[in-house]
Amino acid sequence: MRTAAAEADEHLIRETEKIAVALGRMFPGLCEVVLHDLRDPEQAIRAIENNLSGRQVGDSATELGLARIADPQYPSVIQNYPNQFPDGRPAKSTSIGIKNSAGEYVAALCLNLDVSVLSPVTLALANLVATDTEHREQPLETLRDRNARELRRAVEALAAERGGTPRSLGREGKKALVRQLHSDGYFDSRDAAQTIADLLGVSRATVYNYTK
């Protein structure tokens, strides 16, 4: 008949098993999650999700598991250490020791990430986001919709920088504002000149004159 302490340990391991299953199923083909029952080191593996190492339920504990059994002061968490699957694939591992209320290690939750899968992905992403160094200083274009609302915001912001509203600016202020908008590419959109003219309170012809 089990004691209350043994029942508590079993409950703790069953709850940890739920975490192991959930983590493994969240990262299929990528991260192996293993729950070790350290109360029986000869048949320690209680659950294994997303099996990448070829081990089975009932297999023995690893060196880390044995170290924790021997020493309750052994670190509870050993994170991101290099490892290797039996077929030689590199892995990044994290081992989490689970202690009971008496401070004894009763289980370990281990995550083994297959980094051989990620390395090509990392390279591909680096190549994907890389840009041609020839054009890094000055963008060739901006990928935004220069619609009337954005144009209005730009005009109001540039006027505010000059200490006024679009209509309150003097001739030179309006001229500088229009030239800035032209330099920033706002005249590329349809009806931009008329929109700017309306905001500044001048004619469309005046706006075009200001760009010269």
Side-chain angles (χ1 to χ4, degrees), residues 95-125:
S95 178
I96 306 165
I98 309 295
K99 287 184 176 181
N100 61 14
S101 58
E104 303 166 329
Y105 281 115
V106 295
L109 183 63
C110 301
L111 294 81
N112 303 307
L113 184 69
D114 184 356
V115 296
S116 70
V117 175
L118 295 178
S119 296
V121 174
T122 302
L123 178 60
L125 289 175

Side-chain angles (χ1 to χ4, degrees), residues 54-192:
R55 291 175 293 173
Q56 303 295 328
V57 171
D59 283 355
S60 60
T62 64
E63 293 85 351
L64 282 180
L66 296 176
R68 286 194 172 107
I69 293 171
D71 182 8
Q73 301 307 312
Y74 198 84
S76 295
V77 178
I78 303 177
Q79 195 156 20
N80 297 333
Y81 58 92
N83 212 336
Q84 191 176 68
F85 290 112
D87 60 4
R89 284 173 297 161
K92 182 172 78 169
S93 298
T94 290
S95 178
I96 306 165
I98 309 295
K99 287 184 176 181
N100 61 14
S101 58
E104 303 166 329
Y105 281 115
V106 295
L109 183 63
C110 301
L111 294 81
N112 303 307
L113 184 69
D114 184 356
V115 296
S116 70
V117 175
L118 295 178
S119 296
V121 174
T122 302
L123 178 60
L125 289 175
N127 290 333
L128 184 64
V129 301
T131 56
D132 192 334
T133 55
E134 180 183 352
H135 304 299
R136 284 182 184 172
E137 294 301 320
Q138 180 62 43
L140 297 180
E141 62 178 351
T142 54
L143 302 178
R144 59 182 179 183
D145 180 16
R146 300 191 183 279
N147 54 30
R149 182 180 300 175
E150 182 182 355
L151 184 54
R152 177 184 292 275
R153 286 198 298 265
V155 171
E156 291 174 348
L158 290 172
E161 290 176 5
R162 291 164 172 77
T165 63
R167 286 178 177 263
S168 71
L169 294 177
R171 181 178 182 278
E172 291 304 315
K174 291 179 179 179
K175 187 175 184 178
L177 185 150
V178 169
R179 287 186 172 179
Q180 183 64 54
L181 292 172
H182 188 268
S183 174
D184 290 344
Y186 282 94
F187 279 74
D188 295 341
S189 63
R190 183 169 60 88
D191 297 329

